[in-house]
Amino acid sequence: MTTDFSSQEFFADVTEPIRYEGPDSDNPLAFRWYDADRMVGERTMADHLRFAVAYWHSFASDGSDQFGVGTWDRPWLSGDGDPMDAARRKMTAAFEFFEKLGAPYFCFHDLDIAPEGTTFAETCSNLDAMADEAEAHMERTGVKLLWGTANLFSMPRFAAGAATNPDPELFARAAAQVKHCMDVTHRLGGENYVLWGGREGYDTILNTDMARELDQLARFLHMVVDHKHSIGFDGTILIEPKPHEPTKHQYDHDSQTIIGFLRKYDLADEVKLNIEVNHATLAGHDFVHEIAVAVDEGMLGSVDANRGDPRLGWDTDQFPNSVDEMALAMHEILRGGGLGTGGLNFDAKLRRQSVDRTDLFHAHIGGMDVMARALLAAHAMLADGALTGAKARRYAAWDGGLGREIMAGAKSLSDLHDLTMREQLPEAPVSGGQEALENLVNRYVERVR
Ligand code: XLS
Ligand code: NI
Ligand code: NI
């Protein structure tokens, strides 16, 4: 016997869908910048930004942390009885939220939407049943799946990693789980499939054969790619870099590390990156650096939009709140041609004291407005060539004469030694103009309308 939750309302305080009211609106439950149908260049805002809500933070969590129990008012999580009933209730709440917010996409881990069974077979049938539910909700609301992923880090079995586990049986368990989750993602029309390293890394070299573990990880990814082709999934396979958490040395440390790994193992044509703001900052990078690395390599896949706290050294996963920071990142994204099959997934959670259900709306509205405003500033900067033009001028000497000859391989060290001996080459440094460029960016951010 299943109970019908589809008529239950969890966000009754929000009576109307969130609408665009413009920058002068004081309505906290309205968009001031995100205007889905507004054209920005050749695409609508919605097409540029492709927002997704993360099921785990917003619907599967209760505000608990290492020091204390849950604090959030989440009636769909409390409740006794059948875990599948609870999963259905949670999904009803989630889709009510997606619809009222006007989020075009969502993202999930298998275990966010369906409970583990006592056997693998039961876990799979739970997931299949919840995929049926999701399919019905998606059809009813028009909300789409940006990506699915398998949780290969919460359960004790994966304490030593999934693909990088010392036990092949656990590699097999992880492979089985990923296969099933990819199938469900495909079935739901998911546009990408994400692998976050979870516990793919190590805590101490005392017990770790790193070379072997990296070979295993590559083998696993090849299997994922093969499976993608065998089922005709035309979404993108994405890896999400993150350093330090949960293991001390995560193999997927940052964009550059992953790109080197993918090239070494002949995976670079098949896998792209899902870049998260707070993971970039944990790796000691600006977010825009991580984006630029991926764009330059043609490997930007998608973005987990959030932010860290500069005073805290962990993945606080707060909602984006800085137009300045995001404008530069959006500029790189646009320079690379946009997000493709990817999107902006709010892999972000409320603070523990934000206990109200309505806080979920405030958080997402704020994040969407910040990204929309950043998009407008970035688009104007790129259209005017404000930064790209300045860069082109800075490197112009490489486009001809000596610069071109060097890069064409026409000069040896000795040639340049002789040249420098013979001629007085200019040596005076040219201004990098950083402050002027900072002012320029500020003007674009101030002027968006
Ligand atoms: C954790 C990761 C995770 C991935 C999906 O830090 O960001 O949420 O996005 O597994
Ligand atoms: Ni993430
Ligand atoms: Ni994170």
Side-chain angles (χ1 to χ4, degrees):
M1 249 312 274
T2 58
T3 319
D4 179 22
F5 296 109
S6 52
S7 56
Q8 226 169 315
E9 198 180 13
F10 291 98
F11 297 97
D13 288 354
V14 178
T15 47
E16 294 281 311
I18 307 300
R19 290 187 215 292
Y20 171 74
E21 291 185 4
D24 296 327
S25 171
D26 287 322
N27 176 3
L29 291 174
F31 295 118
R32 297 169 62 248
W33 296 96
Y34 179 60
D35 183 4
D37 297 327
R38 173 171 172 186
M39 293 304 291
V40 181
E42 319 242 282
R43 293 180 204 161
T44 62
M45 262 195 180
D47 285 346
H48 276 289
L49 298 167
R50 298 165 57 83
F51 288 124
V53 175
Y55 213 95
W56 50 104
H57 286 312
S58 290
F59 296 97
S61 306
D62 61 3
S64 55
D65 66 11
Q66 310 90 305
F67 303 102
V69 298
T71 51
W72 297 335
D73 174 30
R74 296 288 181 271
W76 56 88
L77 291 180
S78 60
D80 31 6
D82 181 24
M84 285 299 284
D85 276 352
R88 285 193 191 91
R89 195 162 55 225
K90 195 198 310 182
M91 193 169 274
T92 300
F95 276 86
E96 183 193 339
F97 179 79
F98 304 156
E99 218 186 351
K100 285 185 171 169
L101 178 66
Y105 290 97
F106 71 109
C107 299
F108 69 80
H109 298 87
D110 47 2
L111 295 185
D112 300 332
I113 63 167
E116 266 229 321
T118 48
T119 60
F120 179 64
E122 192 185 328
T123 302
C124 290
S125 80
N126 286 351
L127 185 56
D128 293 341
M130 288 312 298
D132 292 342
E133 300 277 329
E135 203 161 38
H137 280 293
M138 290 167 76
E139 206 170 299
R140 178 176 56 78
T141 60
V143 175
K144 295 175 285 182
L145 177 60
L146 186 66
W147 49 262
T149 189
N151 179 328
L152 303 174
F153 44 89
S154 291
M155 293 301 169
R157 65 175 76 90
F158 295 128
T164 61
N165 201 288
D167 296 325
E169 291 77 11
L170 286 162
F171 181 108
R173 175 62 174 73
Q177 192 178 332
V178 167
K179 187 252 179 224
H180 207 85
C181 190
M182 285 178 77
D183 292 353
V184 165
T185 300
H186 181 38
R187 180 185 146 196
L188 295 177
E191 300 186 23
N192 307 270
Y193 184 84
V194 166
L195 296 121
W196 167 53
R199 296 180 193 274
E200 312 294 24
Y202 73 96
D203 292 325
T204 171
I205 200 76
L206 297 178
N207 61 14
T208 302
D209 183 338
M210 218 193 313
R212 212 185 245 284
E213 294 201 355
L214 286 166
D215 286 351
Q216 286 172 217
L217 185 56
R219 184 87 288 281
F220 196 94
L221 285 170
H222 273 287
M223 292 165 76
V224 166
V225 167
D226 290 348
H227 187 65
K228 160 188 158 149
H229 293 301
S230 80
I231 60 176
F233 176 59
D234 56 12
T236 314
I237 304 292
L238 303 173
I239 300 193
E240 183 174 325
K242 180 177 182 180
H244 314 314
E245 279 181 30
T247 69
K248 181 176 173 188
H249 302 279
Q250 293 279 128
Y251 294 133
D252 302 330
H253 188 93
D254 62 1
S255 296
Q256 213 135 32
T257 308
I258 294 186
I259 290 168
F261 170 85
L262 294 174
R263 292 211 190 291
K264 173 178 174 189
Y265 289 101
D266 200 19
L267 286 156
D269 295 337
E270 294 279 6
V271 181
K272 292 185 172 176
L273 304 184
N274 180 41
I275 299 178
E276 178 166 319
V277 184
N278 203 168
H279 298 181
T281 50
L282 281 182
H285 299 305
D286 290 344
F287 174 50
V288 65
H289 165 84
E290 287 291 86
I291 297 286
V293 167
V295 164
D296 286 344
E297 299 277 354
M299 287 166 87
L300 176 66
S302 197
V303 166
D304 274 4
N306 65 10
R307 80 176 197 273
D309 184 305
R311 247 73 62 199
L312 299 174
W314 66 87
D315 198 13
T316 60
D317 286 339
Q318 293 166 246
F319 281 79
N321 196 27
S322 162
V323 178
D324 299 19
E325 183 188 5
M326 290 301 161
L328 291 181
M330 283 308 306
H331 181 266
E332 292 304 300
I333 291 170
L334 295 179
R335 180 175 70 82
L339 287 163
T341 64
L344 299 175
N345 167 46
F346 289 110
D347 191 352
K349 60 172 180 252
L350 295 173
R351 299 306 85 193
R352 191 163 177 267
Q353 296 179 62
S354 303
V355 298
D356 295 346
R357 273 174 259 173
T358 317
D359 288 321
L360 274 177
F361 280 94
H362 295 300
H364 284 86
I365 290 168
M368 289 161 84
D369 271 345
V370 163
M371 298 311 304
R373 199 169 173 206
L375 168 70
L376 291 171
H379 181 265
M381 270 192 288
L382 192 67
D384 294 351
L387 296 178
T388 47
K391 280 190 205 182
R393 286 191 291 283
R394 189 165 189 231
Y395 294 91
W398 288 94
D399 294 337
L402 179 63
R404 179 176 293 169
E405 284 176 42
I406 292 172
M407 290 314 289
K411 297 284 182 199
S412 67
L413 275 190
S414 296
D415 294 337
L416 297 181
H417 179 267
D418 294 349
L419 174 70
T420 310
M421 198 63 91
R422 223 173 35 239
E423 283 175 37
Q424 181 59 49
L425 300 178
E427 289 189 3
V430 177
S431 175
Q434 180 171 335
E435 297 77 6
L437 291 169
E438 286 169 350
N439 296 350
L440 184 64
V441 170
N442 282 348
R443 287 208 293 281
Y444 277 93
V445 172
E446 284 157 18
R447 280 182 194 164
V448 280
R449 267 282 140 173

